Amino acid sequence: MKEKILQIFKDANGDFVSGESLSKALNCSRTAIWKHIEELREEGYTFEAVRRSGYRLISSPDIPSQVEVQTGLQAKELGREIHYFGAIDSTQHKAHELAKGGAPHGTVIIADQQAGGKGRMGRPWHSPAGTGIWMSILLRPELPLYRCPQLTLLAAVAVVQAIRETTGVRAEIKWPNDILVEQKKLCGILTELNAETDQINYLIIGIGMNVNTEDFPSELRDIATSLRIQVGTPVKRIPLIQRILENLEKLYKLYIEYGFSPIKSLWEAHANTIGKRVVLRQLHGSLEGLAIGINEEGTLLVRKDNGEIEKVYSADIENASSPST
Amino acid sequence: MLKIHELREIIRLIDQSSIQEFELENEGSKVTIRKPGHSTVQVVEQPASVQVVQTAPAAPITEQPVVQEKKEEVAPQPVVTAQVQAQEEEQLHKIVSPMVGTFYSKPEPGAPTYVQPGDKINANTIVCIVEAMKLFNEIEAEVSGEIVKVLVQDGQLVEYGQPLFLVKP
């Protein structure tokens, strides 16, 4: 009901909406309408109320609800269905649940706060209320399974471009798809696939981005950053989410039509891993060498000191400390 | 039916991999790819077994003929057992990796493994994760039965089509 009222005000585009037309459109009493408007005010929306004219929406808070994200969104498929939650255990869990229930390609799950946000290897992801973008995007790609890992590099390009376009922050990609500023983590992307031998059921891209975090717990302070820390002022989440969805849709179409090559070039243009000495930490031990590039699969190529080239499919990567310092 | 580009892709991947033999059944059609090296391996095994048969009677050659006869009866047994074992292995279902990546036997370090030998599974049981480039693929058994053997180590790089588990259907 609240969403429907909000949608009517968004459609009115700043004009007055009478209480009578609201109650007619929604088939409820004017008292009920007034209660919902009071609730919206508590969430941070401001209305002007004028006798005989009705209400006019003056400003909206930066809450990435379904109505807010869909208003002005320039994407056809991604975000056509949005599920917003004030608080949730994990948008990723919810996305799996909705996917299994048949939610369509392009469904987006957004939360203001996550209690159980997760990163790689089940590591907890700090995701408090109002400060970040905690979002999962459901795709149903018609691709052979072995190509799906490339979508994680594609997602990183979509996000890093969106950050630059909306805030000017020059974020970089660490292979395969961590997004960093000045070597500190700004955004993590975790993708999960559900497939059978010959068919992909669905794929979920989970994005966790620190947007308005002013300070981090001490154990994260040296390794994490936020857009607010980088820019110095609060950053609006809604336009950033919209741009991520728009870029993702655009790049996905490009990828389906032309394959990985154009994505690879864009990825390389934003990458900070290539040409650096890196330490790769894997489940059993670690390996050091020079990251020389990615191949047509998206695999990282590392030249070891004995000259052998290792194809890396998964690892935690750190820049090796330079021997001269 | 497999599309021609899918078939071409399968052949390319098998060709590049260390896989010797590959079978795929899909909606009524069946594809079998066998590299020439595979049959050679089998041929090599057989003379090896024959040698065992021959050496057994060779040593007790001075003994009584009755014993020697017995030996000859006993000797072929390992060959039969080996064949039975091979047949049994062949009858076991193999869960294979659908992509190149890192094999994880558990959802996160410290957690219990998804499955272990002796576990009863059904088609939807998650048996492991294969990850590449931070894409996590939860592998479902797609067959029901009992896990007989885990063929790979936690954290190991696995190839496309590499067997990961043996399952007794």
Side-chain angles (χ1 to χ4, degrees):
Chain A
M1 176 66 91
K2 223 167 54 186
E3 284 74 28
K4 281 185 185 155
I5 293 177
L6 196 52
Q7 190 65 60
I8 290 170
F9 279 108
K10 290 280 170 184
D11 293 343
N13 211 0
D15 282 346
F16 278 100
V17 180
S18 72
E20 196 188 334
S21 66
L22 278 170
S23 67
K24 227 181 218 170
L26 299 162
N27 199 18
C28 65
S29 73
R30 290 176 67 165
T31 321
I33 297 286
W34 179 80
K35 267 190 190 158
H36 288 300
I37 288 180
E38 282 310 299
E39 275 178 41
L40 287 167
R41 279 186 165 140
E42 275 167 33
E43 285 178 16
Y45 288 88
T46 55
F47 293 91
E48 183 186 6
V50 172
R51 266 188 72 197
R52 297 218 173 96
S53 299
Y55 302 93
R56 189 162 77 92
L57 178 63
I58 300 207
S59 72
S60 307
D62 186 40
I63 296 173
S65 64
Q66 179 217 326
V67 174
E68 293 292 347
V69 174
Q70 282 177 339
T71 306
L73 177 66
Q74 305 282 315
K76 281 206 184 78
E77 291 183 326
L78 301 198
R80 199 165 44 181
E81 187 173 322
I82 295 179
H83 299 259
Y84 170 79
F85 300 90
I88 201 170
D89 61 337
S90 143
T91 58
Q92 207 72 355
H93 288 169
K94 193 72 195 175
H96 278 286
E97 196 183 303
L98 290 167
K100 282 174 181 143
H105 174 82
T107 300
V108 176
I109 297 92
I110 304 172
D112 196 44
Q113 179 179 13
Q114 285 188 119
K118 278 193 174 178
R120 189 165 177 265
M121 300 284 98
R123 290 166 195 151
W125 182 271
H126 183 67
S127 36
T131 62
I133 293 174
W134 328 121
M135 165 162 83
S136 294
I137 301 156
L138 169 68
L139 302 181
R140 296 188 183 274
E142 289 178 16
L143 287 173
L145 197 146
Y146 73 92
R147 284 184 64 187
C148 287
Q150 297 177 331
L151 292 173
T152 73
L153 279 74
L154 184 152
V157 175
V159 172
V160 88
Q161 284 182 341
I163 291 169
R164 288 198 188 186
E165 287 157 3
T166 56
T167 68
V169 170
R170 298 188 70 78
E172 294 180 314
I173 307 170
K174 182 178 84 163
W175 185 89
N177 63 7
D178 275 350
I179 293 170
L180 314 180
V181 183
E182 292 163 359
Q183 304 298 330
K184 291 181 175 181
K185 189 148 164 174
L186 178 71
C187 175
I189 302 171
L190 184 141
T191 308
E192 290 174 297
L193 179 71
N194 184 297
E196 283 159 40
T197 322
D198 52 352
Q199 183 195 326
I200 290 159
N201 298 326
Y202 63 83
L203 181 145
I204 297 168
I205 301 174
I207 298 172
M209 193 192 304
N210 306 319
V211 181
N212 285 320
T213 325
E214 290 185 69
D215 196 10
F216 285 95
S218 56
E219 71 273 17
L220 295 177
R221 212 164 285 156
D222 294 333
I223 54 168
T225 189
S226 73
L227 286 173
R228 177 168 190 160
I229 292 170
Q230 294 300 319
V231 177
T233 52
V235 170
K236 284 201 159 63
R237 291 178 292 172
I238 297 164
L240 193 48
I241 290 173
Q242 291 174 328
R243 193 50 71 86
I244 292 171
L245 297 176
E246 289 160 4
N247 288 349
L248 199 56
E249 181 164 301
K250 208 166 58 195
L251 292 167
Y252 184 70
K253 278 188 186 145
L254 191 69
Y255 174 72
I256 297 295
E257 194 163 346
Y258 298 101
F260 188 58
S261 300
I263 309 301
K264 180 175 181 267
S265 310
L266 290 168
W267 187 92
E268 284 166 339
H270 295 292
N272 81 344
T273 309
I274 310 306
K276 301 233 172 75
R277 270 194 82 75
V278 291
V279 180
L280 310 170
R281 294 190 201 291
Q282 293 169 322
L283 207 55
H284 305 293
S286 63
L287 183 134
E288 201 176 315
L290 181 72
I292 56 173
I294 57 171
N295 65 12
E296 285 302 323
E297 291 174 89
T299 312
L300 182 66
L301 304 174
V302 174
R303 190 164 64 220
K304 296 189 280 190
D305 294 340
N306 64 9
E308 267 177 46
I309 291 171
E310 177 105 1
K311 276 194 195 178
V312 181
Y313 288 90
S314 40
D316 280 335
I317 297 189
E318 284 169 30
N319 285 333
S321 45
S322 149
S324 59
T325 54
Chain B
M1 270 291 284
L2 280 167
K3 294 192 182 78
I4 192 74
H5 75 269
E6 290 171 326
L7 194 60
R8 200 182 299 135
E9 192 55 41
I10 290 170
I11 293 171
R12 188 181 71 85
L13 289 165
I14 301 290
D15 204 30
Q16 287 169 358
S17 75
S18 58
I19 301 159
Q20 291 296 321
E21 194 174 345
F22 173 84
E23 247 185 62
L24 174 70
E25 278 192 61
N26 180 26
E27 293 165 17
S29 65
K30 186 173 168 184
V31 177
T32 309
I33 301 171
R34 195 175 295 123
K35 288 189 185 171
H38 190 52
S39 51
T40 323
V41 174
Q42 279 187 331
V43 174
V44 171
E45 266 174 8
Q46 278 171 345
S49 317
V50 172
Q51 273 182 352
V52 175
V53 180
Q54 285 173 337
T55 46
I61 202 136
T62 51
E63 284 180 30
Q64 291 173 9
V66 185
V67 180
Q68 207 175 345
E69 256 182 42
K70 264 192 178 174
K71 286 277 178 188
E72 274 176 1
E73 271 177 16
V74 174
Q77 272 183 351
V79 181
V80 175
T81 332
Q83 276 172 353
V84 169
Q85 265 179 4
Q87 270 173 6
E88 270 180 2
E89 289 238 329
E90 214 132 276
Q91 278 165 3
L92 292 176
H93 179 86
K94 296 185 182 80
I95 300 176
V96 302
S97 178
M99 63 184 214
V100 184
T102 304
F103 171 89
Y104 296 109
S105 62
K106 43 197 157 190
E108 52 201 76
T113 56
Y114 284 109
V115 290
Q116 53 191 14
D119 281 3
K120 296 269 188 292
I121 55 164
N122 63 44
N124 297 321
T125 307
I126 294 167
V127 289
C128 66
I129 285 179
V130 176
E131 179 243 355
M133 293 172 246
K134 258 168 87 181
L135 174 91
F136 291 81
N137 187 3
E138 283 186 342
I139 311 295
E140 290 181 2
E142 294 185 27
V143 66
S144 53
E146 183 188 321
I147 297 277
V148 176
K149 200 172 175 189
V150 186
L151 303 166
V152 286
Q153 298 286 316
D154 205 17
Q156 184 183 327
L157 182 70
V158 294
E159 295 292 334
Y160 176 88
Q162 182 173 343
L164 307 174
F165 299 92
L166 290 179
V167 179
K168 191 158 71 189

